[in-house]
Amino acid sequence: MAEKLIEVVNLKQHFHMDKNNIVKAVDGISFDIYRGETLGLVGESGCGKSTTGRTIIRLYPATEGQVLYEGENVHGRKSRSALKKFNRKMQMIFQDPYASLNPRMKVGDIIAEGIDIHGLAKNREERTAKVHELLNKVGLHRDYAGRYPHEASGGQRQRIGIARALAVDPEFIIADEPISALDVSIQAQIVNLMKKLQRENNLTYLFIAHDLSMVKYISDRIGVMYYGKLVELAPADELYNNPLHPYTRSLLSAIPVPDPDAERARRRKLYDPTIHQYTVLEQPQMHEVTPGHFVYCSERELEQYTSRMAMARVGG
């Protein structure tokens, strides 16, 4: 059985805008991430997926709930040395390669920040060698070490960001919409690079995005978020072939089809949240409809989903 690397348990991230206004960006979600896998997290803008990633890595303190890394509470009290050790294990690749790199620093120094902080090079020659090795790993020539970020294209800057994340030999990387700011022609290159690096370095990814077709390509399992809630979680193929939650079905119906006739015939399924009317005694929760396929629903809806899956299995 696969080993759990990350356990997210009833995680909440609420922002108090003023006395009467609380934004529940993440509102009680639970899921696991297994060592060596890529878990995709999708949803429309503002659904809480990026906040989830930032809370997992401690950029935000959790309002409630737990994030366990190898059984240890990420948000628990830690000494300076313990926190430093933890920070080596978890790294983040940010959405905007333009804003995430210091324009006043040379690329070599940006990549070497983690090496310097954690003392991973004995001398300047070893530091330089490590930077050149990292540049080579992400498909850039060593000459980039002497350049500034503005001298690189968007795709090259994202490769620099990936090299910076790899510099401390992490086990787990959160990729927060790493391709959304890139040209379509470059997106596939970055995703293929990430898959290659995952194989070579035994990495585990949380891949956050809104492009469902690209998420399916890179992910082993996919979680779907809607306004702070995780509404569905399943293996990638299962989610695409047998979506259950109406919001998931709506997202999938919006994916363009690479066929002009089929695209003209495609009809978008709009999601209406008012269809979920629950009584006080009928509160929804995550249910496992089939092995590994979880849906946020009531007991009544669970019966409907179970019946639908049974019919799909017979029909398939």
Side-chain angles (χ1 to χ4, degrees):
M1 187 175 179
E3 176 191 355
K4 287 181 185 178
L5 184 65
I6 305 281
E7 296 176 70
V8 176
V9 185
N10 194 33
L11 184 65
K12 295 183 180 180
Q13 184 56 262
H14 296 175
F15 297 105
H16 293 257
M17 311 307 289
D18 53 49
K19 287 184 179 180
N20 302 313
N21 187 13
I22 300 175
V23 176
K24 297 181 179 180
V26 181
D27 196 26
I29 66 173
S30 299
F31 59 89
D32 301 323
I33 303 176
Y34 297 96
R35 188 179 293 278
E37 80 162 338
T38 296
L39 177 68
L41 195 59
V42 301
E44 60 193 275
S45 296
C47 71
K49 57 189 186 297
S50 289
T51 303
T52 298
R54 289 165 183 259
T55 305
I56 287 174
I57 205 170
R58 281 183 64 118
L59 290 180
Y60 298 147
T63 301
E64 195 175 308
Q66 286 187 317
V67 178
L68 304 177
Y69 187 95
E70 295 180 319
E72 182 183 351
N73 186 5
V74 168
H75 292 273
R77 286 177 173 266
K78 287 181 171 58
S79 66
R80 198 167 191 172
S81 60
L83 185 58
K84 191 174 178 181
K85 184 178 179 182
F86 166 78
N87 287 340
R88 271 197 69 181
K89 294 181 178 181
M90 298 175 73
Q91 289 290 303
M92 194 161 193
I93 301 167
F94 295 94
Q95 175 180 0
D96 189 351
Y98 298 86
S100 63
L101 304 178
N102 189 333
R104 295 181 177 85
M105 293 176 65
K106 289 185 176 180
V107 168
D109 293 325
I110 290 171
I111 293 172
E113 274 188 296
I115 295 172
D116 297 339
I117 290 169
H118 295 279
L120 302 179
K122 297 175 184 176
N123 50 50
R124 191 158 190 84
E125 289 73 22
E126 187 175 338
R127 178 187 189 266
T128 300
K130 283 181 177 290
V131 169
H132 289 169
E133 181 186 355
L134 287 161
L135 284 168
N136 181 62
K137 267 190 174 184
V138 299
L140 294 176
H141 193 273
R142 62 172 60 188
D143 289 350
Y144 276 87
R147 301 183 189 182
Y148 287 93
H150 75 267
E151 298 178 82
S153 67
Q156 290 166 342
R157 272 181 264 208
Q158 196 58 287
R159 289 173 187 267
I160 293 165
I162 293 171
R164 176 177 58 184
L166 291 174
V168 295
D169 298 319
E171 297 176 330
F172 175 58
I173 291 179
I174 297 173
D176 184 11
E177 303 225 32
I179 59 174
S180 63
L182 304 177
D183 292 340
V184 174
S185 59
I186 306 300
Q187 290 180 359
Q189 295 177 21
I190 296 300
V191 168
N192 285 331
L193 171 64
M194 290 184 64
K195 292 183 72 161
K196 173 177 173 286
L197 293 170
Q198 183 176 38
R199 291 192 301 270
E200 293 175 351
N201 298 276
N202 193 29
L203 294 169
T204 303
Y205 290 143
L206 174 62
F207 191 90
I208 299 168
H210 60 264
D211 183 342
L212 275 80
S213 55
M214 194 60 77
V215 169
K216 181 178 185 292
Y217 176 65
I218 194 173
S219 302
D220 299 292
R221 293 184 301 137
I222 298 173
V224 180
M225 285 192 71
Y226 179 77
Y227 278 87
K229 296 287 188 183
L230 189 66
V231 297
E232 192 158 2
L233 175 65
D237 287 338
E238 171 73 9
L239 188 86
Y240 275 71
N241 295 329
N242 297 301
L244 291 176
H245 196 279
Y247 179 66
T248 306
R249 296 166 74 88
S250 174
L251 283 182
L252 290 173
S253 73
I255 298 176
V257 180
D259 179 309
D261 294 332
E263 179 62 19
R264 278 193 292 270
R266 179 173 62 88
R267 293 292 177 264
R268 173 80 188 269
K269 296 176 183 176
L270 299 178
Y271 175 58
D272 179 8
T274 63
I275 64 173
H276 303 288
Q277 300 293 336
Y278 303 113
T279 66
V280 175
L281 299 176
E282 191 186 40
Q283 289 305 306
Q285 58 182 313
M286 289 297 278
H287 291 279
E288 190 171 17
V289 182
T290 57
H293 193 155
F294 298 86
V295 184
Y296 183 73
C297 63
S298 65
E299 292 286 349
R300 170 174 47 84
E301 290 169 327
L302 177 61
E303 292 180 9
Q304 298 171 4
Y305 294 150
T306 302
S307 176
R308 184 187 299 170
M309 289 295 282
M311 291 177 65
R313 293 286 184 265
V314 172

